Amino acid sequence: MIEVIFETHATSVDNEDDVASGHWDAPLSASGKRQARELGRRYEPGSLTEVFCSDLQRSSVTAEIAFGGRSDIVVQIDSRLRECDYGSWTRRTQSHVTDSRASRIYTPFPGGESYVACTERVREFLNELWNENSSRTILVIGHRATQFALENLLRGRRLEDIVSETWSWQPGWRYPLSRPLQ
């Protein structure tokens, strides 16, 4: 079995400005850099095998700050863990995007992608992990769409329910990956 622990990227400047970044490569804010250091301190040496993060800097810089100096952890960047592509809605207010999530499960954002498409990216990533055939604990540093996909794929929850819920931060969500995903 593979234990997947999900952590959100640290706070970006767009988060602080209440802007939906999507694939926009927003940097971490000063408070986000502090949060990234705290993230690294939550995981003792030997508790993780690998860390995977998206290629967007708010995720990859979070991983680098948190784990870059540790010899016990390999950090790997994977674009399949990206946030949803909001297309022409990128950098609109967070509420504009959040209020329309339920209608974007199957229908892509204008010029972007749907939450089903995001979930398929994460499914491919998880199946690749499974095919490596080793028990381990990994950390994924990602975005809301990454977590929506994990909730759907590994807990069997409906995307319609997940995207409509009020989200609140917590230090790590744990998911068992005990079989390949269909």
Side-chain angles (χ1 to χ4, degrees):
M1 184 183 83
I2 300 169
E3 181 177 28
V4 178
I5 303 171
F6 174 78
E7 291 268 3
T8 60
H9 63 77
T11 300
S12 72
V13 295
D14 279 1
N15 292 139
E16 289 181 350
D17 291 340
D18 199 33
V19 172
S21 301
H23 282 193
W24 179 264
D25 205 11
L28 293 181
S29 67
S31 64
K33 291 175 183 175
R34 283 190 302 279
Q35 292 165 356
R37 287 189 290 277
E38 292 167 13
L39 168 65
R41 288 191 291 269
R42 282 200 297 274
Y43 296 94
E44 296 180 15
S47 63
L48 301 171
T49 313
E50 301 159 283
V51 173
F52 294 89
C53 61
S54 90
D55 59 335
L56 296 170
Q57 68 175 311
R58 58 193 183 269
S59 180
S60 62
V61 171
T62 297
E64 181 59 33
I65 291 171
F67 302 105
R70 295 201 20 200
S71 61
D72 64 316
I73 294 177
V74 176
V75 175
Q76 298 181 56
I77 296 173
D78 195 311
S79 63
R80 294 173 292 187
L81 300 172
R82 278 183 165 213
E83 179 59 274
C84 190
D85 182 357
Y86 302 139
S88 62
W89 288 15
T90 298
R91 308 217 66 227
R92 289 194 179 185
T93 63
Q94 187 68 292
S95 62
H96 185 83
V97 171
T98 301
D99 292 347
S100 67
R101 279 187 179 141
S103 67
R104 299 299 171 185
I105 293 170
Y106 301 98
T107 304
F109 284 92
E113 67 184 334
S114 68
Y115 284 106
V116 167
C118 298
T119 300
E120 289 309 308
R121 285 193 272 114
V122 174
R123 179 191 311 272
E124 182 181 310
F125 166 78
L126 293 170
N127 279 332
E128 190 174 293
L129 284 179
W130 179 258
N131 290 334
E132 292 171 9
N133 200 25
S134 64
S135 292
R136 59 200 192 274
T137 299
I138 66 152
L139 179 69
V140 171
I141 299 173
H143 311 269
R144 282 289 162 82
T146 316
Q147 187 184 24
F148 294 164
L150 292 171
E151 286 286 323
N152 174 256
L153 297 167
L154 299 179
R155 290 204 174 132
R157 298 185 59 219
R158 295 172 357 115
L159 283 171
E160 292 82 354
D161 297 331
I162 300 163
V163 302
S164 300
E165 292 175 346
T166 301
W167 185 87
S168 62
W169 180 86
Q170 71 179 47
W173 287 260
R174 294 178 181 265
Y175 302 91
L177 176 59
S178 57
R179 60 177 170 70
L181 302 169
Q182 309 286 301

